[in-house]
């Protein structure tokens, strides 16, 4: 979708801001350009819509060299959102969102419909907000309208320059989550500039890490954490990269699928036998097919001696929903002081079991510099 | 640099034109004014402006500051409001109304000038202090400065450029109004212009107008330099 | 009480002086706005910082020259060009010149001070320079330009009074004649009418300024 080929930027004063970068962004992918300030990430992004002219090399959009396109037409085909938002204060939310549609001469009805749809998408009630002016909005709302505006004419590509940079951490976290959901629906090809490693890992399908105008590593975030190419990447990613990778991985990826289960009316003797045979101290109790009911451990089984599972089990159990990050699951385990955590779906159906041992070995893996792998890393 | 060049060119034109006309033998049926005449009227002009402006500063600055003091704010609205409205009133109207009240003469001309010059000085003195970020005053209080210390060390230095700008505006307006003060018995370069107008001799008008323009530009430039010198370094832009 | 009598018996004449005065202001400020805004837009362009500085400096010097002196300097200049050196024309020219600084400076400053983030956003969305000027910069500058116009008009109402010395008609006439003939009633009538006119127009323009402020910019 977007292909950069040996792209260079040299300013008239001789500064080499970008020193020959080559990489490709696939359709529907969110590619984060990451790096410390002055690394050339924003310059690279702005060369894509030619806000900054390219000195050397080529950028192809869907196979067409972007220098062969009219620059204004080019920009109207790409959404553009910046940290300062830059909402026009003399225009209503409606007019702001309809900026590019207006440039493209859409009809009023089309613009109205588009603005309302986008506000809905952003989780803002159109009736309440469409006639408001930017000064009447909170910081988070402005940021949302800014993103809505960049989606105005439904461009296939979006360029976002630290779009959540100017808001408080809590709101930023929420906006990131919301935006990921939206991206799931709209599947745009996105170039996302940030200096925040956590944001990059959270948002990116791919991360391009830049340093002094050079592309140091271009990979999926998990690989960036697990297999940093060199010292710079390692330092930039930070010493807590294991924790970061736990944040990135889901319980689904680390759990044992279809663990052994028992039912409430099973007698304890047979359960004790299963435990001995399997060599486990912990079993999950389910009912009605596969609904999670609780758990039972070896000590309780042996103490009770006889009876049913229902008499010795623990009913009030912690569980992690599928999709929860490993970091959150780990927090629960540490807080509740449990070594096992059942994983369920939204309807409380048992999906798997996460054990502290599995987590530990995973952490151990990422600590070995060379070989950390996890299921999603393909390369 | 460019500004300097523009300034020098303009002043050369004004002064050159004055010299050229003064050196002429005759203007229609009248003699041109001599250098002495022009010098004397320029001096009178400066004297009127100087006295009126000093009075305006002496009254305007303390009064403007006074109405910003705690407890005095109730006087601020009527006093500053009057100053604002007063500035909207044309200078000729103020001069003309003063004539029947004060009578004709040099002194009443000065009083008329004083009244009109007072307004920008008063307004800027008030605004200079009133517009200081309350957070600055708050932090000064928080560090234990007394009211006097705040006034002398914080408020006055911060307001100084604004007050100076008011004085500069006021002086420039005063130079212009002084040409009209001749109508109520004042002296100054306006007299030469008016004589030219009454006798319908354009060159005589210019002989008064050119040095007046030069005087205004020179005074404005000097006060501009003074204003820059009075601005605390931290408040200067760039 | 003489003043009252004077107004009573001369209200038609006073009315026509007022109309003349307003006409002079209307004509000169229309030109002043046109020239000032165009020039202001021009000098706010990229790479014209030096030109802008010089133009604004000149306009500033213009303002310091006393109006009576400017009228005096204009007279021989106009007659050298074979144009009428007395009456309406020189008055209009002088008023256009005096109206320049507030309008020019405000246009220039307002355009230059538009938040760069907005221009960046506009460019990034594919607006042409022209669209950025017309859709972003100018609308945002309108209230500031209006404030400049208001300032210019108030200054010019005062200067138009003085233009009576070079033969322009207006509310300066009764003041000037009254001063020459020591007629207090005429002086006061002229002074009061022109003052009230200035305050009224100032107030009206303040309202217009508010009205022309884009909704989202109102506090």
């Amino acid at each position: 979708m977007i292909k950069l080929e040996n792209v260079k930027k040299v300013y008239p004063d001789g500064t080499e801001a970008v020193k020959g970068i080559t990489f490709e962004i696939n359709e529907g992918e969110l590619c984060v350009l990451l790096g410390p300030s002055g690394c050339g990430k924003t310059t690279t992004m702005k060369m894509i819509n030619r806000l900054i002219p390219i000195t050397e090399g080529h950028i192809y959009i869907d196979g067409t060299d972007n220098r062969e396109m009219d620059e204004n037409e080019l920009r109207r085909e790409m959404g553009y959102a910046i940290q300062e938002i830059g909402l026009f204060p003399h225009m209503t939310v409606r007019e702001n969102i309809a900026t590019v549609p207006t440039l493209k001469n859409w009809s009023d009805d089309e613009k109205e419909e588009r603005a309302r749809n986008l506000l809905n998408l952003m989780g803002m009630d159109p009736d309440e907000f469409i006639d408001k002016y930017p000064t009447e909005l909170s910081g988070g709302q402005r940021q949302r309208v800014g993103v809505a505006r960049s989606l105005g004419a439904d461009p296939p590509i979006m360029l976002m320059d630290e779009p959540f940079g100017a808001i408080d951490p809590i709101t930023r976290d929420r906006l990131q989550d919301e935006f990921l959901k939206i991206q799931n629906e709209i599947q745009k090809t996105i170039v996302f500039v940030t200096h925040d490693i956590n944001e990059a890992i959270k948002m990116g399908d791919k991360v391009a890490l830049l340093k002094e105008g050079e592309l140091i590593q271009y990979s999926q975030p998990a690989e960036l954490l697990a297999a940093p190419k060199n010292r710079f990447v390692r330092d930039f990613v930070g010493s807590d990269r294991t924790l970061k990778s736990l944040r990135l991985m889901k319980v689904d990826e680390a759990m044992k699928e279809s663990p052994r289960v028992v039912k409430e009316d099973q007698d304890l003797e047979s359960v004790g036998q299963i435990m001995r045979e399997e060599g486990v101290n912990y079993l999950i109790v389910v009912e009605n097919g596969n609904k999670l009911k609780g758990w039972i451990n070896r000590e309780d089984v042996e103490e009770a001696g006889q009876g049913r599972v229902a008499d010795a089990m623990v009913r009030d159990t912690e569980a992690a929903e599928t999709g929860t990050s490993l970091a959150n699951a780990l927090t629960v385990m540490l807080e509740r002081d449990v070594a096992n955590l059942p994983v369920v779906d939204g309807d409380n159906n048992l999906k798997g079991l996460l054990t502290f041992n599995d987590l530990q070995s995973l952490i151990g893996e990422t600590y070995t510099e060379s070989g950390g792998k996890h299921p999603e890393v393909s390369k | 640099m460019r500004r300097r060049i523009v300034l020098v060119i303009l002043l050369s034109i004004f002064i050159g034109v004055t010299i050229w006309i003064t050196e002429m033998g005759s203007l229609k049926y009248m003699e041109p004014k001599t250098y002495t005449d022009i010098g004397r009227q320029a001096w009178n002009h400066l004297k009127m402006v100087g006295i009126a402006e000093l009075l305006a500063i002496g009254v305007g600055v303390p009064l403007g500051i006074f109405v910003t003091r705690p407890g005095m704010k109730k006087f601020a609205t009527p006093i500053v409001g009057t100053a604002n409205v007063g500035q909207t009133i044309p200078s000729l109207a103020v001069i003309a109304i003063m004539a029947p009240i004060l009578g004709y003469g040099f002194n009443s001309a000065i009083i008329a000038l004083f009244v009109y010059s007072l307004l920008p000085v008063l307004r800027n003195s008030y605004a200079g202090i009133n517009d200081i970020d309350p957070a600055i005053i708050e932090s000064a209080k928080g560090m234990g400065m007394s009211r006097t210390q705040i006034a002398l060390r914080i408020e006055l230095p911060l307001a100084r450029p604004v007050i100076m700008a008011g004085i500069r505006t006021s002086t420039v307006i005063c130079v212009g109004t002084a040409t009209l003060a001749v109508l109520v018995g004042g002296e100054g370069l306006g007299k030469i212009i008016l004589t030219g107008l009454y006798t319908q001799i354009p060159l005589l008008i210019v002989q008064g107008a050119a040095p007046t323009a030069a005087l205004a530009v020179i005074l404005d430039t000097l006060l501009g330099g003074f204003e820059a010198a009075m601005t605390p370094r931290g408040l200067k832009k760039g | 009480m003489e003043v009252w009598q004077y107004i009573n018996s001369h209200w038609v004449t006073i009315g026509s002086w007022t109309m003349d005065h307003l006409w002079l202001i209307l004509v000169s400020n229309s030109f002043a706005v046109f020239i000032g805004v165009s020039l202001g837009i021009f000098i706010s362009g990229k790479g014209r910082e030096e030109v802008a500085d010089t133009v604004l400096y000149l306009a500033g010097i213009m303002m310091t020259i006393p109006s009576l002196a400017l009228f005096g300097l204009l007279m021989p200049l106009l007659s050298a060009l074979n144009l009428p050196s007395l009456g309406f024309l020189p008055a209009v020219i002088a008023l256009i010149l005096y109206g320049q600084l507030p309008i020019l400076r405000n246009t220039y400053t307002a355009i230059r001070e538009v938040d760069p983030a907005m221009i960046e956003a506009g460019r990034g969305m594919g607006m042409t320079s022209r669209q950025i000027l017309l859709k972003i910069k100018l609308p945002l500058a309108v209230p500031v330009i209006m404030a400049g116009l208001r300032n210019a008009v108030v200054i010019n109402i005062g200067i138009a009074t003085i233009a009576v010395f070079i033969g322009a008609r207006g509310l300066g006439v009764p003041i000037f004649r009254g001063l020459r003939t020591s007629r207090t009633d005429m002086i006061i009538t002229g002074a009061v009418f022109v003052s009230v006119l200035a305050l009224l127009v100032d107030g009206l323009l303040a309202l217009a300024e508010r009205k022309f402020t884009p909704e989202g910019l109102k506090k």
Side-chain angles (χ1 to χ4, degrees), chain B:
Chain B
M1 194 57 215
R2 277 205 195 194
R3 289 181 171 213
R4 287 277 156 78
I5 297 170
V6 171
L7 180 68
V8 169
I9 293 175
L10 270 176
L11 283 180
S12 315
I13 293 174
F14 293 149
I15 294 169
V17 164
T18 315
I19 294 173
W20 173 59
I21 299 174
T22 315
E23 295 291 336
M24 281 183 178
S26 72
L27 307 170
K28 283 193 193 166
Y29 44 85
M30 267 184 82
E31 297 273 301
K33 298 285 173 189
T34 63
Y35 290 116
T36 325
D37 293 331
I38 296 174
R40 189 169 50 85
Q41 291 301 16
W43 172 244
N44 283 332
H45 208 114
L46 273 176
K47 201 158 76 180
M48 281 203 305
V49 171
I51 297 172
E53 198 56 40
L54 282 178
L55 284 173
I57 295 169
V59 175
V61 177
L63 188 59
I65 295 173
F66 175 73
V67 293
T68 63
R69 296 300 85 194
M72 298 302 152
K73 302 231 161 150
K74 54 181 179 290
F75 299 114
T77 316
I79 290 181
V80 179
T82 310
N84 281 334
V85 170
Q87 275 191 286
T88 311
I89 295 175
S91 54
L92 186 61
V94 174
I95 295 279
I97 285 187
M98 288 294 170
I101 299 171
L102 300 166
Y104 289 75
F106 195 69
N107 289 341
S108 25
I110 287 179
I111 294 174
L113 282 182
F114 154 71
V115 171
Y116 204 64
S117 313
L118 180 63
L119 309 175
V121 179
L122 176 63
R123 192 170 75 155
N124 277 37
S125 302
Y126 170 77
I129 296 213
N130 200 46
D131 293 351
I132 294 174
D133 182 355
I136 295 177
I137 309 295
E138 173 96 20
S139 61
K141 264 188 210 156
M143 284 183 285
M145 283 195 182
S146 70
R147 227 188 235 183
T148 326
Q149 283 168 329
I150 292 175
L152 293 180
R153 293 190 194 175
I154 312 287
E155 290 179 303
L156 272 183
L158 285 178
R160 210 162 53 196
V162 185
I163 298 177
M164 269 309 300
I167 292 174
R168 182 179 172 192
T169 311
S170 164
T171 308
V172 169
I173 293 173
C174 193
V175 171
T177 316
T179 57
L180 303 173
V182 171
L183 293 167
V184 295
E187 291 287 329
L189 291 166
K191 209 156 196 178
I192 304 176
I193 302 176
L194 283 180
T195 314
L197 281 167
Y198 293 149
T199 53
Q200 302 269 327
I201 304 173
L203 285 182
L204 190 58
I205 303 174
V206 176
Q207 210 190 5
T212 312
L215 185 71
V217 173
I218 290 171
L219 268 181
D220 181 57
T221 308
L222 286 178
L223 285 170
F226 195 56
E227 190 183 325
M230 292 281 278
T231 306
R233 250 176 31 128
L235 295 185
K236 281 180 187 157
K237 288 175 195 139

Side-chain angles (χ1 to χ4, degrees), chain A residues 46 49 51 72 75-76 78 80 82 84-91 99-100 102-103 133 135 149, chain C residues 115 117-129 131 135-136 139-140 214-218:
Chain A
K46 286 185 179 174
N49 71 352
L51 278 175
N72 291 321
R75 288 173 196 155
R76 288 172 200 174
M78 296 182 185
Y80 189 62
I82 53 177
E84 304 84 358
I85 316 173
L87 290 182
F88 305 136
H90 57 301
M91 296 183 190
T99 306
V100 181
T102 306
L103 294 173
Y133 285 93
T135 44
R149 183 173 69 172
Chain C
D115 182 353
M118 259 158 243
I119 296 166
E120 162 102 19
R123 284 219 310 144
M125 286 189 286
M127 286 190 175
T128 60
S129 312
Q131 285 166 330
K135 292 193 168 184
I136 304 178
L140 289 175
E215 204 55 46
L217 297 182
K218 284 179 186 163

Side-chain angles (χ1 to χ4, degrees), chain A residues 340-355:
Chain A
N340 300 282
L341 198 61
V343 178
V344 295
D345 67 9
D347 292 329
N348 208 31
N349 291 312
L350 183 70
K351 285 292 171 193
L353 174 66
L354 185 70
T355 69

Side-chain angles (χ1 to χ4, degrees), chain C residues 6-168:
Chain C
Y6 181 80
I7 295 173
N8 235 341
S9 53
H10 292 81
W11 60 270
V12 179
T13 328
I14 297 170
S16 87
W17 284 329
T18 311
M19 293 318 288
D20 286 333
H21 208 105
L22 283 174
W23 178 238
L24 192 55
I25 299 297
L26 184 71
V27 172
S28 53
N29 278 291
S30 305
F31 279 106
V33 166
F34 180 73
I35 300 170
V37 172
S38 321
L39 194 59
I41 291 172
F42 176 77
I43 62 173
S44 66
K46 239 193 190 158
R48 304 215 176 92
E49 287 77 10
E50 285 209 347
V51 183
D53 186 71
T54 311
V55 169
L56 288 171
Y57 181 64
L58 260 176
I61 285 199
M62 194 61 246
M63 288 298 280
T64 68
I65 297 177
S67 42
L68 199 57
L70 185 72
F71 288 135
L73 293 170
L74 272 178
M75 280 179 72
L77 221 78
L78 287 173
S79 42
L81 294 170
N82 267 332
L83 291 167
S85 61
L86 283 174
F88 192 70
L89 184 75
V92 167
I93 294 176
L95 293 191
I96 291 174
L97 288 173
Y98 279 117
Q100 279 317 295
L101 182 68
I103 297 171
L104 183 66
R105 188 178 46 198
N106 283 25
T107 307
Y108 174 78
T109 323
I111 290 183
R112 294 289 292 203
E113 280 176 5
V114 169
D115 182 353
M118 259 158 243
I119 296 166
E120 162 102 19
R123 284 219 310 144
M125 286 189 286
M127 286 190 175
T128 60
S129 312
R130 203 183 141 77
Q131 285 166 330
I132 288 177
L133 178 68
L134 293 179
K135 292 193 168 184
I136 304 178
K137 290 181 177 174
L138 273 185
L140 289 175
V142 163
V144 186
I145 297 175
M146 277 300 297
L149 172 65
R150 178 180 162 202
N151 199 342
V153 167
V154 170
I155 291 172
N156 276 347
I157 289 181
I159 293 172
T161 326
I162 301 166
V164 69
F165 287 105
I166 50 163

Side-chain angles (χ1 to χ4, degrees), chain A residues 175-188:
Chain A
L175 283 183
Q176 288 168 344
D177 291 337
E178 283 171 15
F179 186 73
L180 281 177
K181 265 187 214 153
I182 293 169
Q183 164 66 356
N184 246 332
E185 276 177 50
I186 58 179
Q187 295 288 325
K188 301 286 179 195

